[in-house]
């Protein structure tokens, strides 16, 4: 049984052997089967011995040149990002060109290699960048967040399509719990990477889980920067998610500065790296709710609430937050955050849609009356209007369990 090589070097040796065997098969160009001595030729010390040896040398030299040529062609098929186009090699003494082995032979070798190793047009099969899927998920699965839908899709797609980005893309998600911040972060991971949150190119940090002890901040800084550096070395496109960002120690936020600012031109690689940093926070949630409530009372449809209605007050609220170092960090004060993304409070109709999606995801039957029952179990604020769900769509799945047999 043929064992598959685990490195390009072993694969190259294997390819050379295959090509050499083909050259030495009867009927191959330059093969001595048809040019050998006749029945009356002498045996030992014959005048045929030296020409035969010369013919073998010629075939071996041609095999070496041909294997190098086909290795270049084959590697361009498998590793296009490292491919350097060269001019067609001149025909050797055996007059072998690419046409003799042909496209079919290259296809066979490529299929064989790709049967045990990742191959794809992008050069890194861990990265999918499915913007069509992302647009669909944001419009179909995310409810009540027209601002986040438009802003996230536009900024992420625009950034990843830049030929040479000068800095990382930094987005800060703000809003009450249960409004969809983590949901959108997961959508990004699922649509940008083949393995979603499990991808080698994605790292998730939860403030109070990964960095619980303020006295260990120096150790955390070393671990955090080390993980970021290793992930960026491993992948040319990375995603870093920081949940509970308002609880991050100021020292950790300061340690992120070199990774978020603009890169000096001399630090650019041949293939410019791309990094997206997401900071998820409840900061500014109350301000967002106040602005939306005021606009709704004034008769403005929810879908007409614009980013300009929220951005100034949201930035101010984040920067003035008294109990968090996030607003006083270099991220905010040095404008390292590209966009503050507001997540609006969810209404009764949005909670019903979340309940419906939860039933569908579990392949359970539901009725409109059942969706109303679940939506009514949530607490709504303010006390007079009772317009916004205080927990958004959080814990909807658990509430569905109350109605299961």
């Amino acid at each position: 049984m043929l064992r598959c090589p685990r490195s390009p070097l072993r694969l190259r040796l294997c390819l050379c052997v295959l090509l050499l065997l083909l050259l030495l098969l009867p009927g191959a160009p330059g093969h001595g089967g048809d040019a050998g001595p006749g029945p009356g030729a002498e045996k030992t010390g014959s005048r045929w011995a030296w020409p035969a040896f010369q013919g073998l040398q010629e075939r071996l030299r041609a095999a070496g040149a041909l294997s190098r040529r086909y290795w270049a062609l084959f590697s361009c098929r498998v590793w296009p990002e490292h491919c350097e186009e060269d001019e067609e090699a001149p025909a050797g003494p055996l007059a072998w060109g690419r046409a003799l082995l042909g496209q079919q032979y290259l296809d066979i070798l490529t299929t064989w290699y790709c049967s045990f190793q990742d191959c794809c047009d992008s050069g890194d099969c861990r990265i999918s960048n499915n913007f069509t899927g992302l647009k669909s998920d944001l419009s179909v699965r995310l409810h009540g967040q027209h601002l986040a839908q438009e802003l996230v899709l536009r900024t992420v797609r625009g950034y990843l399509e830049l030929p040479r980005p000068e800095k990382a893309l930094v987005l800060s998600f703000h809003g009450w719990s249960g409004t969809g911040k983590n949901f959108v972060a997961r959508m990004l991971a699922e649509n940008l990477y083949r393995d979603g949150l499990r991808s080698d190119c994605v790292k998730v940090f939860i403030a109070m889980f990964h960095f619980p002890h303020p006295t260990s901040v120096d150790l955390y800084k070393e671990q955090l920067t080390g993980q970021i550096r290793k992930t960026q070395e491993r992948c040319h496109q990375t995603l870093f998610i920081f949940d509970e960002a308002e609880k991050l120690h100021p020292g950790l936020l300061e340690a992120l500065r070199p990774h978020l600012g603009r890169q000096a031109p001399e630090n650019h690689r041949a293939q410019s790296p791309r990094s997206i940093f997401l900071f998820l926070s409840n900061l500014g949630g109350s301000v967002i709710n106040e602005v939306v409530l005021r606009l709704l009372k004034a008769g403005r449809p929810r879908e007409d609430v614009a980013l300009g209605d929220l951005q100034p007050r949201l930035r101010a609220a984040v920067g003035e937050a008294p109990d968090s170092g996030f607003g006083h960090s270099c991220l905010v004060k040095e404008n390292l955050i590209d966009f503050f993304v507001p997540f609006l409070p969810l209404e009764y109709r949005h909670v019903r849609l979340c309940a419906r999606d939860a039933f569908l995801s579990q392949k359970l039957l539901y009725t409109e009356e059942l969706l109303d029952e679940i939506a009514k179990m949530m607490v709504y604020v303010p006390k007079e209007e009772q317009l916004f769900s205080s927990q958004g769509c959080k814990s909807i799945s658990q509430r569905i369990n109350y109605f299961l047999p």
Side-chain angles (χ1 to χ4, degrees), residues 142-162:
L142 182 66
H143 305 299
Q145 304 297 348
H146 65 284
L147 294 179
Q149 289 172 2
E150 189 276 332
L151 186 56
V152 169
L153 179 63
R154 174 169 55 83
T155 56
V156 170
R157 182 169 191 166
Y159 173 75
L160 293 179
E161 289 179 346
L162 286 174

mmCIF file with all atom_site columns, all heavy atoms in Angstrom, residues 142-162:
data_model
loop_
_atom_site.group_PDB
_atom_site.id
_atom_site.type_symbol
_atom_site.label_atom_id
_atom_site.label_alt_id
_atom_site.label_comp_id
_atom_site.label_asym_id
_atom_site.label_entity_id
_atom_site.label_seq_id
_atom_site.pdbx_PDB_ins_code
_atom_site.Cartn_x
_atom_site.Cartn_y
_atom_site.Cartn_z
_atom_site.occupancy
_atom_site.B_iso_or_equiv
_atom_site.pdbx_formal_charge
_atom_site.auth_seq_id
_atom_site.auth_comp_id
_atom_site.auth_asym_id
_atom_site.auth_atom_id
_atom_site.pdbx_PDB_model_num
ATOM 1   N N   . LEU A 1 142 ? -30.585 37.140 12.775 1.00 0.00 ? 142 LEU A N   1
ATOM 2   C CA  . LEU A 1 142 ? -30.420 38.211 13.755 1.00 0.00 ? 142 LEU A CA  1
ATOM 3   C C   . LEU A 1 142 ? -31.639 39.122 13.682 1.00 0.00 ? 142 LEU A C   1
ATOM 4   O O   . LEU A 1 142 ? -31.973 39.633 12.613 1.00 0.00 ? 142 LEU A O   1
ATOM 5   C CB  . LEU A 1 142 ? -29.150 39.002 13.461 1.00 0.00 ? 142 LEU A CB  1
ATOM 6   C CG  . LEU A 1 142 ? -28.811 40.142 14.420 1.00 0.00 ? 142 LEU A CG  1
ATOM 7   C CD1 . LEU A 1 142 ? -28.481 39.609 15.814 1.00 0.00 ? 142 LEU A CD1 1
ATOM 8   C CD2 . LEU A 1 142 ? -27.643 40.976 13.879 1.00 0.00 ? 142 LEU A CD2 1
ATOM 9   N N   . HIS A 1 143 ? -32.300 39.351 14.816 1.00 0.00 ? 143 HIS A N   1
ATOM 10  C CA  . HIS A 1 143 ? -33.559 40.082 14.821 1.00 0.00 ? 143 HIS A CA  1
ATOM 11  C C   . HIS A 1 143 ? -33.419 41.437 15.519 1.00 0.00 ? 143 HIS A C   1
ATOM 12  O O   . HIS A 1 143 ? -32.778 41.546 16.571 1.00 0.00 ? 143 HIS A O   1
ATOM 13  C CB  . HIS A 1 143 ? -34.651 39.258 15.522 1.00 0.00 ? 143 HIS A CB  1
ATOM 14  C CG  . HIS A 1 143 ? -34.831 37.894 14.923 1.00 0.00 ? 143 HIS A CG  1
ATOM 15  N ND1 . HIS A 1 143 ? -35.202 37.699 13.610 1.00 0.00 ? 143 HIS A ND1 1
ATOM 16  C CD2 . HIS A 1 143 ? -34.671 36.648 15.467 1.00 0.00 ? 143 HIS A CD2 1
ATOM 17  C CE1 . HIS A 1 143 ? -35.273 36.402 13.363 1.00 0.00 ? 143 HIS A CE1 1
ATOM 18  N NE2 . HIS A 1 143 ? -34.952 35.749 14.469 1.00 0.00 ? 143 HIS A NE2 1
ATOM 19  N N   . GLY A 1 144 ? -34.014 42.450 14.901 1.00 0.00 ? 144 GLY A N   1
ATOM 20  C CA  . GLY A 1 144 ? -34.093 43.770 15.527 1.00 0.00 ? 144 GLY A CA  1
ATOM 21  C C   . GLY A 1 144 ? -32.804 44.561 15.530 1.00 0.00 ? 144 GLY A C   1
ATOM 22  O O   . GLY A 1 144 ? -32.682 45.529 16.275 1.00 0.00 ? 144 GLY A O   1
ATOM 23  N N   . GLN A 1 145 ? -31.830 44.200 14.689 1.00 0.00 ? 145 GLN A N   1
ATOM 24  C CA  . GLN A 1 145 ? -30.511 44.855 14.716 1.00 0.00 ? 145 GLN A CA  1
ATOM 25  C C   . GLN A 1 145 ? -30.108 45.315 13.321 1.00 0.00 ? 145 GLN A C   1
ATOM 26  O O   . GLN A 1 145 ? -29.091 44.896 12.781 1.00 0.00 ? 145 GLN A O   1
ATOM 27  C CB  . GLN A 1 145 ? -29.464 43.901 15.310 1.00 0.00 ? 145 GLN A CB  1
ATOM 28  C CG  . GLN A 1 145 ? -29.774 43.366 16.683 1.00 0.00 ? 145 GLN A CG  1
ATOM 29  C CD  . GLN A 1 145 ? -29.851 44.483 17.728 1.00 0.00 ? 145 GLN A CD  1
ATOM 30  O OE1 . GLN A 1 145 ? -29.469 45.612 17.474 1.00 0.00 ? 145 GLN A OE1 1
ATOM 31  N NE2 . GLN A 1 145 ? -30.373 44.155 18.895 1.00 0.00 ? 145 GLN A NE2 1
ATOM 32  N N   . HIS A 1 146 ? -30.897 46.210 12.728 1.00 0.00 ? 146 HIS A N   1
ATOM 33  C CA  . HIS A 1 146 ? -30.594 46.639 11.368 1.00 0.00 ? 146 HIS A CA  1
ATOM 34  C C   . HIS A 1 146 ? -29.272 47.414 11.288 1.00 0.00 ? 146 HIS A C   1
ATOM 35  O O   . HIS A 1 146 ? -28.567 47.352 10.277 1.00 0.00 ? 146 HIS A O   1
ATOM 36  C CB  . HIS A 1 146 ? -31.747 47.490 10.811 1.00 0.00 ? 146 HIS A CB  1
ATOM 37  C CG  . HIS A 1 146 ? -31.957 48.789 11.522 1.00 0.00 ? 146 HIS A CG  1
ATOM 38  N ND1 . HIS A 1 146 ? -32.562 48.865 12.765 1.00 0.00 ? 146 HIS A ND1 1
ATOM 39  C CD2 . HIS A 1 146 ? -31.631 50.071 11.175 1.00 0.00 ? 146 HIS A CD2 1
ATOM 40  C CE1 . HIS A 1 146 ? -32.618 50.133 13.147 1.00 0.00 ? 146 HIS A CE1 1
ATOM 41  N NE2 . HIS A 1 146 ? -32.054 50.892 12.195 1.00 0.00 ? 146 HIS A NE2 1
ATOM 42  N N   . LEU A 1 147 ? -28.915 48.132 12.346 1.00 0.00 ? 147 LEU A N   1
ATOM 43  C CA  . LEU A 1 147 ? -27.654 48.876 12.335 1.00 0.00 ? 147 LEU A CA  1
ATOM 44  C C   . LEU A 1 147 ? -26.455 47.921 12.353 1.00 0.00 ? 147 LEU A C   1
ATOM 45  O O   . LEU A 1 147 ? -25.499 48.083 11.592 1.00 0.00 ? 147 LEU A O   1
ATOM 46  C CB  . LEU A 1 147 ? -27.588 49.826 13.523 1.00 0.00 ? 147 LEU A CB  1
ATOM 47  C CG  . LEU A 1 147 ? -28.614 50.970 13.527 1.00 0.00 ? 147 LEU A CG  1
ATOM 48  C CD1 . LEU A 1 147 ? -28.456 51.820 14.776 1.00 0.00 ? 147 LEU A CD1 1
ATOM 49  C CD2 . LEU A 1 147 ? -28.454 51.835 12.276 1.00 0.00 ? 147 LEU A CD2 1
ATOM 50  N N   . ALA A 1 148 ? -26.490 46.939 13.240 1.00 0.00 ? 148 ALA A N   1
ATOM 51  C CA  . ALA A 1 148 ? -25.392 45.968 13.319 1.00 0.00 ? 148 ALA A CA  1
ATOM 52  C C   . ALA A 1 148 ? -25.292 45.149 12.039 1.00 0.00 ? 148 ALA A C   1
ATOM 53  O O   . ALA A 1 148 ? -24.184 44.854 11.561 1.00 0.00 ? 148 ALA A O   1
ATOM 54  C CB  . ALA A 1 148 ? -25.592 45.051 14.527 1.00 0.00 ? 148 ALA A CB  1
ATOM 55  N N   . GLN A 1 149 ? -26.434 44.781 11.464 1.00 0.00 ? 149 GLN A N   1
ATOM 56  C CA  . GLN A 1 149 ? -26.415 43.998 10.224 1.00 0.00 ? 149 GLN A CA  1
ATOM 57  C C   . GLN A 1 149 ? -25.637 44.722 9.136  1.00 0.00 ? 149 GLN A C   1
ATOM 58  O O   . GLN A 1 149 ? -24.743 44.150 8.501  1.00 0.00 ? 149 GLN A O   1
ATOM 59  C CB  . GLN A 1 149 ? -27.853 43.759 9.747  1.00 0.00 ? 149 GLN A CB  1
ATOM 60  C CG  . GLN A 1 149 ? -28.652 42.797 10.601 1.00 0.00 ? 149 GLN A CG  1
ATOM 61  C CD  . GLN A 1 149 ? -30.126 42.758 10.200 1.00 0.00 ? 149 GLN A CD  1
ATOM 62  O OE1 . GLN A 1 149 ? -30.536 43.427 9.251  1.00 0.00 ? 149 GLN A OE1 1
ATOM 63  N NE2 . GLN A 1 149 ? -30.911 42.003 10.938 1.00 0.00 ? 149 GLN A NE2 1
ATOM 64  N N   . GLU A 1 150 ? -25.982 45.968 8.912  1.00 0.00 ? 150 GLU A N   1
ATOM 65  C CA  . GLU A 1 150 ? -25.355 46.725 7.824  1.00 0.00 ? 150 GLU A CA  1
ATOM 66  C C   . GLU A 1 150 ? -23.897 47.054 8.121  1.00 0.00 ? 150 GLU A C   1
ATOM 67  O O   . GLU A 1 150 ? -23.019 46.889 7.270  1.00 0.00 ? 150 GLU A O   1
ATOM 68  C CB  . GLU A 1 150 ? -26.158 48.014 7.590  1.00 0.00 ? 150 GLU A CB  1
ATOM 69  C CG  . GLU A 1 150 ? -25.754 48.799 6.349  1.00 0.00 ? 150 GLU A CG  1
ATOM 70  C CD  . GLU A 1 150 ? -24.570 49.723 6.591  1.00 0.00 ? 150 GLU A CD  1
ATOM 71  O OE1 . GLU A 1 150 ? -24.396 50.160 7.751  1.00 0.00 ? 150 GLU A OE1 1
ATOM 72  O OE2 . GLU A 1 150 ? -23.817 49.998 5.635  1.00 0.00 ? 150 GLU A OE2 1
ATOM 73  N N   . LEU A 1 151 ? -23.623 47.513 9.344  1.00 0.00 ? 151 LEU A N   1
ATOM 74  C CA  . LEU A 1 151 ? -22.275 47.973 9.687  1.00 0.00 ? 151 LEU A CA  1
ATOM 75  C C   . LEU A 1 151 ? -21.275 46.831 9.733  1.00 0.00 ? 151 LEU A C   1
ATOM 76  O O   . LEU A 1 151 ? -20.156 46.942 9.219  1.00 0.00 ? 151 LEU A O   1
ATOM 77  C CB  . LEU A 1 151 ? -22.314 48.710 11.026 1.00 0.00 ? 151 LEU A CB  1
ATOM 78  C CG  . LEU A 1 151 ? -21.027 49.396 11.476 1.00 0.00 ? 151 LEU A CG  1
ATOM 79  C CD1 . LEU A 1 151 ? -20.547 50.379 10.417 1.00 0.00 ? 151 LEU A CD1 1
ATOM 80  C CD2 . LEU A 1 151 ? -21.231 50.096 12.814 1.00 0.00 ? 151 LEU A CD2 1
ATOM 81  N N   . VAL A 1 152 ? -21.635 45.724 10.329 1.00 0.00 ? 152 VAL A N   1
ATOM 82  C CA  . VAL A 1 152 ? -20.715 44.586 10.450 1.00 0.00 ? 152 VAL A CA  1
ATOM 83  C C   . VAL A 1 152 ? -20.379 44.018 9.078  1.00 0.00 ? 152 VAL A C   1
ATOM 84  O O   . VAL A 1 152 ? -19.207 43.788 8.756  1.00 0.00 ? 152 VAL A O   1
ATOM 85  C CB  . VAL A 1 152 ? -21.311 43.505 11.368 1.00 0.00 ? 152 VAL A CB  1
ATOM 86  C CG1 . VAL A 1 152 ? -20.490 42.215 11.288 1.00 0.00 ? 152 VAL A CG1 1
ATOM 87  C CG2 . VAL A 1 152 ? -21.373 43.993 12.810 1.00 0.00 ? 152 VAL A CG2 1
ATOM 88  N N   . LEU A 1 153 ? -21.393 43.794 8.244  1.00 0.00 ? 153 LEU A N   1
ATOM 89  C CA  . LEU A 1 153 ? -21.147 43.238 6.928  1.00 0.00 ? 153 LEU A CA  1
ATOM 90  C C   . LEU A 1 153 ? -20.274 44.167 6.091  1.00 0.00 ? 153 LEU A C   1
ATOM 91  O O   . LEU A 1 153 ? -19.297 43.732 5.453  1.00 0.00 ? 153 LEU A O   1
ATOM 92  C CB  . LEU A 1 153 ? -22.466 42.969 6.214  1.00 0.00 ? 153 LEU A CB  1
ATOM 93  C CG  . LEU A 1 153 ? -22.352 42.390 4.798  1.00 0.00 ? 153 LEU A CG  1
ATOM 94  C CD1 . LEU A 1 153 ? -21.690 41.021 4.830  1.00 0.00 ? 153 LEU A CD1 1
ATOM 95  C CD2 . LEU A 1 153 ? -23.723 42.315 4.134  1.00 0.00 ? 153 LEU A CD2 1
ATOM 96  N N   . ARG A 1 154 ? -20.585 45.457 6.102  1.00 0.00 ? 154 ARG A N   1
ATOM 97  C CA  . ARG A 1 154 ? -19.846 46.411 5.270  1.00 0.00 ? 154 ARG A CA  1
ATOM 98  C C   . ARG A 1 154 ? -18.392 46.542 5.718  1.00 0.00 ? 154 ARG A C   1
ATOM 99  O O   . ARG A 1 154 ? -17.473 46.529 4.887  1.00 0.00 ? 154 ARG A O   1
ATOM 100 C CB  . ARG A 1 154 ? -20.543 47.771 5.317  1.00 0.00 ? 154 ARG A CB  1
ATOM 101 C CG  . ARG A 1 154 ? -19.776 48.887 4.609  1.00 0.00 ? 154 ARG A CG  1
ATOM 102 C CD  . ARG A 1 154 ? -20.632 50.124 4.451  1.00 0.00 ? 154 ARG A CD  1
ATOM 103 N NE  . ARG A 1 154 ? -21.176 50.603 5.702  1.00 0.00 ? 154 ARG A NE  1
ATOM 104 C CZ  . ARG A 1 154 ? -20.516 51.394 6.565  1.00 0.00 ? 154 ARG A CZ  1
ATOM 105 N NH1 . ARG A 1 154 ? -19.274 51.775 6.293  1.00 0.00 ? 154 ARG A NH1 1
ATOM 106 N NH2 . ARG A 1 154 ? -21.082 51.800 7.678  1.00 0.00 ? 154 ARG A NH2 1
ATOM 107 N N   . THR A 1 155 ? -18.166 46.685 7.008  1.00 0.00 ? 155 THR A N   1
ATOM 108 C CA  . THR A 1 155 ? -16.801 46.910 7.489  1.00 0.00 ? 155 THR A CA  1
ATOM 109 C C   . THR A 1 155 ? -15.935 45.656 7.369  1.00 0.00 ? 155 THR A C   1
ATOM 110 O O   . THR A 1 155 ? -14.770 45.739 6.954  1.00 0.00 ? 155 THR A O   1
ATOM 111 C CB  . THR A 1 155 ? -16.807 47.381 8.947  1.00 0.00 ? 155 THR A CB  1
ATOM 112 O OG1 . THR A 1 155 ? -17.521 46.425 9.758  1.00 0.00 ? 155 THR A OG1 1
ATOM 113 C CG2 . THR A 1 155 ? -17.488 48.736 9.076  1.00 0.00 ? 155 THR A CG2 1
ATOM 114 N N   . VAL A 1 156 ? -16.481 44.501 7.704  1.00 0.00 ? 156 VAL A N   1
ATOM 115 C CA  . VAL A 1 156 ? -15.694 43.267 7.647  1.00 0.00 ? 156 VAL A CA  1
ATOM 116 C C   . VAL A 1 156 ? -15.352 42.914 6.198  1.00 0.00 ? 156 VAL A C   1
ATOM 117 O O   . VAL A 1 156 ? -14.201 42.601 5.877  1.00 0.00 ? 156 VAL A O   1
ATOM 118 C CB  . VAL A 1 156 ? -16.441 42.108 8.331  1.00 0.00 ? 156 VAL A CB  1
ATOM 119 C CG1 . VAL A 1 156 ? -15.744 40.777 8.064  1.00 0.00 ? 156 VAL A CG1 1
ATOM 120 C CG2 . VAL A 1 156 ? -16.538 42.358 9.835  1.00 0.00 ? 156 VAL A CG2 1
ATOM 121 N N   . ARG A 1 157 ? -16.336 42.984 5.340  1.00 0.00 ? 157 ARG A N   1
ATOM 122 C CA  . ARG A 1 157 ? -16.070 42.661 3.937  1.00 0.00 ? 157 ARG A CA  1
ATOM 123 C C   . ARG A 1 157 ? -15.092 43.659 3.323  1.00 0.00 ? 157 ARG A C   1
ATOM 124 O O   . ARG A 1 157 ? -14.142 43.271 2.618  1.00 0.00 ? 157 ARG A O   1
ATOM 125 C CB  . ARG A 1 157 ? -17.377 42.657 3.147  1.00 0.00 ? 157 ARG A CB  1
ATOM 126 C CG  . ARG A 1 157 ? -17.180 42.288 1.678  1.00 0.00 ? 157 ARG A CG  1
ATOM 127 C CD  . ARG A 1 157 ? -18.483 42.033 0.987  1.00 0.00 ? 157 ARG A CD  1
ATOM 128 N NE  . ARG A 1 157 ? -18.275 41.443 -0.328 1.00 0.00 ? 157 ARG A NE  1
ATOM 129 C CZ  . ARG A 1 157 ? -19.219 40.868 -1.040 1.00 0.00 ? 157 ARG A CZ  1
ATOM 130 N NH1 . ARG A 1 157 ? -20.458 40.808 -0.576 1.00 0.00 ? 157 ARG A NH1 1
ATOM 131 N NH2 . ARG A 1 157 ? -18.949 40.358 -2.216 1.00 0.00 ? 157 ARG A NH2 1
ATOM 132 N N   . GLY A 1 158 ? -15.311 44.931 3.586  1.00 0.00 ? 158 GLY A N   1
ATOM 133 C CA  . GLY A 1 158 ? -14.406 45.943 3.035  1.00 0.00 ? 158 GLY A CA  1
ATOM 134 C C   . GLY A 1 158 ? -12.982 45.762 3.517  1.00 0.00 ? 158 GLY A C   1
ATOM 135 O O   . GLY A 1 158 ? -12.025 45.905 2.745  1.00 0.00 ? 158 GLY A O   1
ATOM 136 N N   . TYR A 1 159 ? -12.824 45.415 4.778  1.00 0.00 ? 159 TYR A N   1
ATOM 137 C CA  . TYR A 1 159 ? -11.480 45.236 5.332  1.00 0.00 ? 159 TYR A CA  1
ATOM 138 C C   . TYR A 1 159 ? -10.778 44.029 4.713  1.00 0.00 ? 159 TYR A C   1
ATOM 139 O O   . TYR A 1 159 ? -9.612  44.104 4.313  1.00 0.00 ? 159 TYR A O   1
ATOM 140 C CB  . TYR A 1 159 ? -11.564 45.077 6.847  1.00 0.00 ? 159 TYR A CB  1
ATOM 141 C CG  . TYR A 1 159 ? -10.252 44.731 7.496  1.00 0.00 ? 159 TYR A CG  1
ATOM 142 C CD1 . TYR A 1 159 ? -9.257  45.678 7.657  1.00 0.00 ? 159 TYR A CD1 1
ATOM 143 C CD2 . TYR A 1 159 ? -10.000 43.433 7.944  1.00 0.00 ? 159 TYR A CD2 1
ATOM 144 C CE1 . TYR A 1 159 ? -8.040  45.364 8.243  1.00 0.00 ? 159 TYR A CE1 1
ATOM 145 C CE2 . TYR A 1 159 ? -8.792  43.106 8.538  1.00 0.00 ? 159 TYR A CE2 1
ATOM 146 C CZ  . TYR A 1 159 ? -7.816  44.069 8.682  1.00 0.00 ? 159 TYR A CZ  1
ATOM 147 O OH  . TYR A 1 159 ? -6.621  43.736 9.262  1.00 0.00 ? 159 TYR A OH  1
ATOM 148 N N   . LEU A 1 160 ? -11.485 42.904 4.639  1.00 0.00 ? 160 LEU A N   1
ATOM 149 C CA  . LEU A 1 160 ? -10.855 41.681 4.144  1.00 0.00 ? 160 LEU A CA  1
ATOM 150 C C   . LEU A 1 160 ? -10.577 41.736 2.648  1.00 0.00 ? 160 LEU A C   1
ATOM 151 O O   . LEU A 1 160 ? -9.780  40.938 2.136  1.00 0.00 ? 160 LEU A O   1
ATOM 152 C CB  . LEU A 1 160 ? -11.737 40.465 4.469  1.00 0.00 ? 160 LEU A CB  1
ATOM 153 C CG  . LEU A 1 160 ? -11.866 40.141 5.960  1.00 0.00 ? 160 LEU A CG  1
ATOM 154 C CD1 . LEU A 1 160 ? -12.766 38.939 6.169  1.00 0.00 ? 160 LEU A CD1 1
ATOM 155 C CD2 . LEU A 1 160 ? -10.503 39.895 6.590  1.00 0.00 ? 160 LEU A CD2 1
ATOM 156 N N   . GLU A 1 161 ? -11.202 42.644 1.933  1.00 0.00 ? 161 GLU A N   1
ATOM 157 C CA  . GLU A 1 161 ? -10.947 42.777 0.503  1.00 0.00 ? 161 GLU A CA  1
ATOM 158 C C   . GLU A 1 161 ? -9.862  43.810 0.197  1.00 0.00 ? 161 GLU A C   1
ATOM 159 O O   . GLU A 1 161 ? -9.500  44.004 -0.959 1.00 0.00 ? 161 GLU A O   1
ATOM 160 C CB  . GLU A 1 161 ? -12.246 43.143 -0.227 1.00 0.00 ? 161 GLU A CB  1
ATOM 161 C CG  . GLU A 1 161 ? -13.250 41.981 -0.265 1.00 0.00 ? 161 GLU A CG  1
ATOM 162 C CD  . GLU A 1 161 ? -14.541 42.338 -0.971 1.00 0.00 ? 161 GLU A CD  1
ATOM 163 O OE1 . GLU A 1 161 ? -14.774 43.561 -1.193 1.00 0.00 ? 161 GLU A OE1 1
ATOM 164 O OE2 . GLU A 1 161 ? -15.321 41.424 -1.283 1.00 0.00 ? 161 GLU A OE2 1
ATOM 165 N N   . LEU A 1 162 ? -9.335  44.477 1.233  1.00 0.00 ? 162 LEU A N   1
ATOM 166 C CA  . LEU A 1 162 ? -8.232  45.410 1.023  1.00 0.00 ? 162 LEU A CA  1
ATOM 167 C C   . LEU A 1 162 ? -6.982  44.638 0.605  1.00 0.00 ? 162 LEU A C   1
ATOM 168 O O   . LEU A 1 162 ? -6.659  43.601 1.212  1.00 0.00 ? 162 LEU A O   1
ATOM 169 C CB  . LEU A 1 162 ? -7.933  46.198 2.293  1.00 0.00 ? 162 LEU A CB  1
ATOM 170 C CG  . LEU A 1 162 ? -8.920  47.295 2.700  1.00 0.00 ? 162 LEU A CG  1
ATOM 171 C CD1 . LEU A 1 162 ? -8.528  47.863 4.056  1.00 0.00 ? 162 LEU A CD1 1
ATOM 172 C CD2 . LEU A 1 162 ? -8.958  48.394 1.652  1.00 0.00 ? 162 LEU A CD2 1
#
